[in-house]
Amino acid sequence: MTKRYRVLVGGEWVGDGWPGIEVINPFDDSVIGIVPEASATEVDRAIEAALKGAAVMAALPAYKRSDILNRAADFILRDKEEIAEIIAREAGKSWKFALSEAERSSETLRFAALEAKTSHGEIVPMDASPVSAGRFGFYLRTPIGVIGAITPFNFPLNLVVHKVAPALAAGNALVLKPATKTPLASIKLAEILVEAGLPAGALNLVIGSGVTVGNRLVEDERLAMITFTGSPPVGREIKARCGLKRVTLELGSNSPTIIEEDGDVDAAVGRCVVGSFANSGQVCISVQRIFVHRNRYAEFIDKFVAATRQLKVGDPLDKGCDIGPMISRKELARSLEWLEEAKNMGAVVAAGGEAVGNCLQPTILTGVTREMKVMCSEVFAPIVSVLSYGNFDEALEMADDSVYGLQAGVYTNDINKAFKAVKRLDVGGVIINDVPTFRVDHMPYGGNKESGLGREGVRYAMEEMTNIKMVCINL
């Protein structure tokens, strides 16, 4: 019998009698669970509970918030294999990457536990102005209140933790709306936080459509902030409809990697294989465009194609699997359509290009042009395009020729070229001698242009999730 789940609202597990949403295993299309679908009334109930929870969290001492987050980190490691199975089954992520996501989520919680104790304001030198020379000033960081968190399918635990953990560390409460395709990891996280001692109402979990749940959160004036990870069109709509709320948007990308003539090709090949194809390319900072100096192009292509053909495609629960399914048949069909368009416009498939069940073989394209969707849009599939260039300035121009600006990777052993890339590329992160897919959970992370607004990474998310309160004393 298919398991029916409950959701967390106001410290209670609810959902009996609600309509249900089936959670589908994208590898074999089996139903792995049924979750309760929230109505507008239930979303309102969750917001009311969060308002009460916000008052409790704001009064909770920093050390208690830190203790809760550290205990939750312990429990994730305790249950990491169970969590990895949940992620592999609902998201189609291969076991090794699902297990890594569980471990990363624990580390993210630990960073938040640390920041809960160390977040602070600072003294303002009032005597810098003659008008205020006789005053003493400082500011505090205070919790913003209730935060609406809307999360995607591709990292169903760690991207949720990246919103939940800093919000709680800063003393806020949340209403969380996970992706309807991958809600089970969020339910497990909620169970762990309750076990860790989180106060009732601090985290409220509701599942449902963007129309019913997402819009209600975005438009409700009782929320102080929306933090969203997803597509640029939805991000624009949120920005237009949220009123005076604070907004953090982590949106799309078509991340470039430059491999300069003096770069380490062997190191680049290995990292590009992982960066291009992990999680079937369904990663915001997945390698999508690779620019290789023409004197190293043939060498790179030969080695890259050979390494890619060694990847194992199949059941993500198979611990030897490298590439699992696309999140849905619809996304698989879209990816194949984009491939056909590219081929019709002159692109050549150097590896992959075929569907295997619900999976897409890791695919390398050459002969691409900037007009193709696989180049100018976010492909969000295991498809990568490789081009050659003549000089470093040309490579920087090609890499920056995008409406997106999340992260970029540059392989070079010339420090001057490295800093030239840092200065020239309009992106949120420049990763030298690695792919743009590199991210650790305490670094500032976010994009420019259509890649979003604001920054994540625990400390930087907490800055977005707090208000500055200035105190000035006339002595």
Side-chain angles (χ1 to χ4, degrees):
M1 187 174 182
T2 303
K3 181 176 179 179
R4 296 187 70 93
Y5 291 82
R6 294 178 177 179
V7 291
L8 183 66
V9 176
E12 298 180 356
W13 292 98
V14 299
D16 292 340
W18 297 14
I21 299 173
E22 292 183 339
V23 183
I24 306 297
N25 182 329
F27 177 69
D28 60 13
D29 297 318
S30 62
V31 179
I32 57 176
I34 298 174
V35 296
E37 182 176 14
S39 66
T41 300
E42 300 302 339
V43 177
D44 190 68
R45 177 182 170 189
I47 294 171
E48 290 287 349
L51 289 168
K52 295 176 182 177
V56 175
M57 288 299 293
L60 198 66
Y63 79 91
K64 290 189 176 181
R65 285 181 262 130
S66 180
D67 287 348
I68 291 167
L69 294 166
N70 269 321
R71 283 195 294 271
D74 290 339
F75 297 156
I76 283 182
L77 288 182
R78 177 196 68 192
D79 298 344
K80 65 181 182 179
E81 295 212 353
E82 175 193 347
I83 292 168
E85 183 174 347
I86 291 171
I87 294 170
R89 292 179 72 206
E90 70 175 347
K93 183 173 294 190
S94 62
W95 171 266
K96 60 184 176 182
F97 293 120
L99 188 64
S100 174
E101 181 173 345
E103 292 167 346
R104 279 186 63 185
S105 300
S106 175
E107 184 177 60
T108 304
L109 283 161
R110 294 213 191 281
F111 284 131
L114 177 65
E115 291 295 338
K117 287 186 174 182
T118 58
S119 179
H120 58 83
E122 61 185 50
I123 293 172
V124 179
M126 302 303 294
D127 60 355
S129 169
V131 175
S132 56
R135 300 171 190 264
F136 179 78
F138 61 95
Y139 70 83
L140 306 171
R141 285 199 171 272
T142 60
I144 197 170
V146 176
I147 296 172
I150 304 173
T151 59
F153 74 83
N154 57 330
F155 284 83
L157 184 63
N158 199 39
L159 288 185
V160 173
V161 170
H162 262 290
K163 299 181 187 305
V164 170
L168 297 177
N172 297 295
L174 300 101
V175 180
L176 168 65
K177 177 199 152 358
T180 54
K181 287 183 173 63
T182 56
L184 302 184
S186 289
I187 292 174
K188 177 63 178 176
L189 175 64
E191 292 172 351
I192 281 174
L193 285 167
V194 169
E195 183 183 0
L198 188 68
L203 175 64
N204 304 274
L205 171 62
V206 285
I207 302 165
S209 70
V211 173
T212 300
V213 179
N215 287 350
R216 187 75 180 90
L217 295 177
V218 167
E219 294 172 358
D220 196 295
E221 294 181 355
R222 292 170 293 180
L223 272 69
M225 179 179 179
I226 295 293
T227 173
F228 168 79
T229 300
S231 70
V234 178
R236 284 194 197 92
E237 186 175 350
I238 287 173
K239 186 73 165 58
R241 299 177 68 169
C242 70
L244 293 178
K245 292 181 188 66
R246 197 168 298 178
V247 181
T248 296
L249 302 174
E250 200 275 277
L251 307 177
S253 187
N254 56 356
S255 299
T257 298
I258 297 171
I259 302 170
E260 176 60 349
E261 185 175 13
D262 60 24
D264 186 334
V265 167
D266 289 329
V269 165
R271 291 295 291 155
C272 284
V273 168
V274 176
S276 301
F277 305 126
N279 199 25
S280 294
Q282 298 168 126
V283 182
C284 296
I285 41 177
S286 179
V287 177
Q288 185 172 329
R289 300 174 297 144
I290 302 176
F291 304 98
V292 187
H293 192 280
R294 62 189 173 201
N295 292 341
R296 308 298 298 277
Y297 180 82
E299 175 191 1
F300 176 83
I301 278 288
D302 288 346
K303 292 178 177 179
F304 188 40
V305 168
T308 297
R309 287 177 174 162
Q310 297 300 311
L311 296 175
K312 183 176 180 180
V313 178
D315 186 347
L317 288 172
D318 175 355
K319 294 183 180 179
C321 174
D322 298 299
I323 308 294
M326 300 289 290
I327 190 61
S328 67
R329 289 190 176 190
K330 179 180 178 182
E331 282 301 297
L332 175 61
R334 176 196 59 81
S335 302
L336 291 170
E337 287 174 6
W338 285 25
L339 276 177
E340 282 303 309
E341 178 204 68
K343 289 190 288 184
N344 290 337
M345 295 174 69
V348 176
V349 177
E354 301 291 334
V356 180
N358 291 344
C359 306
L360 178 61
Q361 292 175 335
T363 301
I364 301 170
L365 297 178
T366 61
V368 293
T369 59
R370 67 181 304 277
E371 297 81 13
M372 298 175 184
K373 288 179 182 175
V374 295
M375 279 288 288
C376 66
S377 298
E378 183 178 37
V379 70
F380 225 61
I383 301 170
V384 64
S385 298
V386 186
L387 303 88
S388 67
Y389 66 88
N391 62 67
F392 194 59
D393 284 333
E394 180 187 357
L396 293 174
E397 183 178 350
M398 294 165 72
D400 218 26
D401 181 20
S402 173
V403 297
Y404 302 112
L406 190 46
Q407 293 198 156
V410 179
Y411 279 86
T412 179
N413 288 317
D414 185 330
I415 191 66
N416 294 307
K417 290 176 181 174
F419 275 98
K420 189 173 192 177
V422 169
K423 185 174 182 179
R424 282 277 303 277
L425 295 173
D426 185 8
V427 294
V430 180
I431 314 300
I432 303 298
N433 288 327
D434 207 342
V435 292
T437 322
F438 175 80
R439 180 188 181 186
V440 287
D441 298 296
H442 61 298
M443 71 188 231
Y445 173 78
N448 304 340
K449 299 186 278 188
E450 291 193 19
S451 287
L453 299 170
R455 292 296 182 267
E456 292 194 337
V458 176
R459 172 186 165 190
Y460 310 95
M462 287 175 67
E463 291 176 356
E464 305 274 356
M465 294 172 171
T466 52
N467 286 321
I468 287 178
K469 181 179 286 186
M470 180 67 195
V471 180
C472 187
I473 302 170
N474 189 349
L475 300 175

